[in-house]
Amino acid sequence: MPEETISIPKFEFNKYFVHRLNNEQVLLITSFGRIACLDKNEFADFKKQKIGKVLFKKLEKAHIIITKQNRSLEINDYRVRYGHVCEGVSLHIVNPTMRCNQSCLYCYANSSNMNAKGLDLDEKTGKKIVAFAWQSTRKEITREVQGGEPLANFPAIESIVNYAKTKKGKKIHWRIVTNLTLMDETIASFLQKNKIFDVCTSLDGPKKVHDKNRPWSNGSSFDKVVQWINCLKQDFGFKNLGALCTVTKNSLPFAKEIVDTYLELGFQDITPVPLRKIGLAGKNWEKIGYLGSDYFDFWKKTLDYCIKMTRDGKPISEQLSVLTLGKMNKVEPNYHTCFSKPCGAALMQCSYQPNGDIFTCDEAKAEPLFKIGNVEQSYKSVFTSPEALNMVSISSSLGFACNECKFTGFCRFCPVLTYCTQGSLVPMLALDEDCKLKKAQFSLLLEKIFGKDNRILLKWLDENT
Ligand code: SF4
Ligand code: SF4
């Protein structure tokens, strides 16, 4: 018997996209990434607009149709997803030096060697950077310390941390991103004393991969980073120390070994970051670069192995999946600056060079095009400059084909990557390896979240959000 189609409340269709999952299931997806999963019979009815009560409820819940019941929720989705446009810059990244003691093949910052001159932050500019960030409308800000290798100018870190302590009216969260090879007990004690426990390092996998990607003239950078990961966790209480894994051509055959290295060091998550043609990575592309499809194969193996290990009682989540699943599963504020639209560049984050120049975001700091001002200017003039506003407008991707893509609710668009790979801020999507890769990743994640791995993925999501 066909389902009763009368006495259905009034409704109108929202904008939606169709994604065929397999021969049995079809997904309807809204621009905010809400999803209704229909079986083939329901989809046939839907196409004929034969909407019975069960189908009606399914469509209403996913906002595929807008009714009296869900109208205010849909309006709230807009408020939540675009709230970051009005909230001010929360992530202020300071680079105490643009020198570095390693020679990583993919350095997006284009760091110079340790003997280079004029690349260190001085005390006066450091104070100006702190005072500049203090004008953010946010009550809480994150001050991330990057580089170069930031510990190569540790006195500048001490100086800005101590100066920030004299200022009132904001809560400040400190994060340090370091290769750990210059870490020592004095620095570790300073971080501990100032409750700076949010430390993130680079760990590209086992020694044979890490040392090839991240050469260090003093020996094995892998041995040093492992020594300090263990020491900071065990002796200094840095329980949540984080690590990022950059994936180069050297990494591609070692998906399993890379995950095993993370597990051996006690990590419960891994973020395998695809190589981006920015800075030195662009110059070394022939040597370390690959196609999006190569990364996809690697990432799929990593994801499957993380799922297997989690199922076998050694939990480890793959973080790019977790971030995307977060977008698929619920509409919530954009906390991650690169996973929002518009993205966080010049809106949620900015990056300060040692000379006080301000860039839209950290990945942009090697490209003069993305400079939006200097700490000598007023806060307002920097963040309302044409350069800053253009970045916000472009990264919203509202004018592009992205807006008509079925994955628009989960996807993000990076103007810096587009500029560095295509020489233009407006992407040529048909030629865009990153777009091809994301489409393949979203399709696989949708398969998994509506398939047998659903429980593990939802568990990761629960534990990581
Ligand atoms: S970048 Fe590609 S996958 Fe992402 S929304 Fe645009 S067209 Fe879709
Ligand atoms: S421009 Fe790219 S790297 Fe910078 S915040 Fe946006 S998405 Fe992230």
Side-chain angles (χ1 to χ4, degrees):
M1 284 286 288
E3 216 190 322
E4 185 58 74
T5 54
I6 51 169
S7 77
I8 294 292
K10 274 193 178 165
F11 67 86
E12 54 199 293
F13 284 100
N14 199 357
K15 182 171 176 172
Y16 66 89
F17 304 93
V18 177
H19 177 73
R20 201 169 283 277
L21 205 54
N22 49 45
N23 288 338
E24 298 298 317
Q25 293 166 295
V26 176
L27 304 180
L28 305 179
I29 310 174
T30 72
S31 301
F32 288 133
R34 286 188 184 268
I35 304 174
C37 180
L38 273 48
D39 65 33
K40 63 179 179 195
N41 297 328
E42 286 174 322
F43 185 59
D45 285 347
F46 175 77
K47 282 200 293 189
K48 290 182 218 143
Q49 294 204 16
K50 223 166 91 187
I51 297 178
K53 281 184 186 162
V54 175
L55 183 55
F56 178 88
K57 282 284 161 216
K58 224 179 214 187
L59 299 173
E60 184 181 52
K61 188 166 174 225
H63 297 199
I64 304 298
I65 54 173
I66 299 298
T67 67
K68 210 172 157 188
Q69 295 302 318
N70 69 7
R71 185 176 302 274
S72 59
L73 295 173
E74 176 68 6
I75 292 168
N76 197 46
D77 282 359
Y78 275 87
R79 191 183 61 74
V80 170
R81 271 286 169 95
Y82 291 119
H84 65 291
V85 174
C86 314
E87 287 173 352
V89 179
S90 55
L91 176 58
H92 296 260
I93 298 172
V94 61
N95 299 289
T97 180
M98 292 313 295
R99 294 179 299 126
C100 185
N101 62 332
Q102 289 196 180
S103 332
C104 302
L105 303 177
Y106 49 70
C107 178
Y108 71 85
N110 259 343
S111 299
S112 298
N113 67 43
M114 291 293 273
N115 299 324
K117 302 280 177 241
L119 298 179
D120 282 7
L121 178 67
D122 62 33
E123 192 178 335
K124 194 169 151 216
T125 314
K127 284 184 175 172
K128 282 186 181 169
I129 290 174
V130 172
F132 188 88
W134 227 257
Q135 296 172 67
S136 166
T137 48
R138 298 264 191 168
K139 287 268 176 281
E140 291 185 22
I141 57 174
T142 296
R143 178 55 97 187
E144 184 169 299
V145 183
Q146 282 258 12
E149 168 46 43
L151 301 189
N153 187 10
F154 178 62
I157 301 176
E158 275 181 305
S159 165
I160 56 171
V161 169
N162 289 332
Y163 181 60
K165 281 199 271 191
T166 67
K167 299 192 74 73
K168 303 269 179 286
K170 277 199 202 306
K171 195 167 165 195
I172 184 158
H173 172 85
W174 289 91
R175 178 184 303 141
I176 304 235
V177 180
T178 163
N179 65 33
L180 285 181
T181 53
L182 296 173
M183 182 58 77
D184 61 26
E185 300 219 340
T186 310
I187 298 174
S189 301
F190 173 84
L191 299 179
Q192 189 187 43
K193 188 171 143 229
N194 286 284
K195 298 191 170 39
I196 304 175
F197 289 110
D198 190 352
V199 173
C200 184
T201 192
S202 294
L203 179 67
D204 287 359
K207 187 167 172 158
K208 60 187 169 195
V209 178
H210 186 95
D211 284 350
K212 203 166 180 185
N213 283 348
R214 305 180 62 84
W216 183 37
S217 55
N218 283 12
S220 163
S221 55
F222 176 83
D223 288 346
K224 197 73 176 169
V225 78
V226 167
Q227 175 201 331
W228 275 104
I229 287 172
N230 288 330
C231 182
L232 288 174
K233 283 188 179 187
Q234 286 156 23
D235 302 341
F236 289 90
F238 288 69
K239 300 272 178 259
N240 296 322
L241 190 137
L244 286 182
C245 170
T246 302
V247 178
T248 68
K249 196 189 270 178
N250 304 325
S251 323
L252 296 177
F254 301 108
K256 180 175 167 301
E257 288 88 339
I258 291 172
V259 175
D260 284 338
T261 305
Y262 271 72
L263 280 168
E264 278 156 25
L265 287 167
F267 289 102
Q268 296 211 332
D269 55 63
I270 181 166
T271 311
V273 184
L275 197 64
R276 312 177 100 203
K277 230 178 188 172
I278 300 176
L280 257 193
K283 293 184 188 133
N284 285 328
W285 197 254
E286 285 297 311
K287 204 166 158 191
I288 56 172
Y290 42 69
L291 292 172
S293 52
D294 296 330
Y295 176 81
F296 178 75
D297 291 343
F298 167 89
W299 174 77
K300 184 174 179 308
K301 281 184 203 142
T302 306
L303 176 59
D304 285 339
Y305 190 57
C306 288
I307 290 172
K308 177 186 176 320
M309 294 315 275
T310 303
R311 194 171 279 128
D312 291 351
K314 292 186 186 162
I316 181 157
S317 58
E318 194 285 305
Q319 285 296 300
L320 298 182
S321 311
V322 171
L323 281 165
T324 307
L325 289 167
K327 296 260 177 214
M328 289 176 178
N329 243 39
K330 45 191 163 190
V331 177
E332 57 179 17
N334 291 299
Y335 298 120
H336 193 298
T337 64
C338 293
F339 275 74
S340 35
K341 268 195 213 159
C343 79
L347 195 57
M348 290 154 85
Q349 72 154 302
C350 67
S351 178
Y352 304 84
Q353 289 290 75
N355 66 0
D357 281 350
I358 305 171
F359 285 75
T360 54
C361 55
D362 207 53
E363 284 76 359
K365 65 191 174 193
E367 284 295 337
L369 181 75
F370 298 103
K371 180 180 159 184
I372 53 174
N374 185 281
V375 287
E376 297 293 347
Q377 294 171 240
S378 75
Y379 190 90
K380 188 174 171 190
S381 73
V382 171
F383 289 106
T384 56
S385 64
E387 291 80 5
L389 296 180
N390 282 341
M391 189 68 165
V392 175
S393 165
I394 293 244
S395 79
S396 72
S397 71
L398 284 175
F400 312 154
C402 289
N403 208 32
E404 297 306 318
C405 168
K406 60 186 169 184
F407 299 125
T408 191
F410 326 126
C411 199
R412 74 277 179 201
F413 163 67
C414 176
V416 175
L417 183 60
T418 300
Y419 180 73
C420 291
T421 49
Q422 302 190 354
S424 156
L425 285 172
V426 179
M428 290 171 275
L429 287 170
L431 305 175
D432 192 315
E433 282 293 309
D434 191 47
C435 168
K436 281 186 219 162
L437 168 63
K438 285 184 291 196
K439 282 179 172 159
Q441 288 180 300
F442 296 142
S443 298
L444 182 73
L445 280 174
L446 285 169
E447 237 174 69
K448 288 198 177 289
I449 195 85
F450 288 96
K452 67 178 174 41
D453 295 321
N454 168 286
R455 277 187 40 206
I456 288 192
L457 296 180
L458 290 179
K459 184 167 174 269
W460 286 356
L461 199 54
D462 267 4
E463 286 166 358
N464 286 279
T465 49

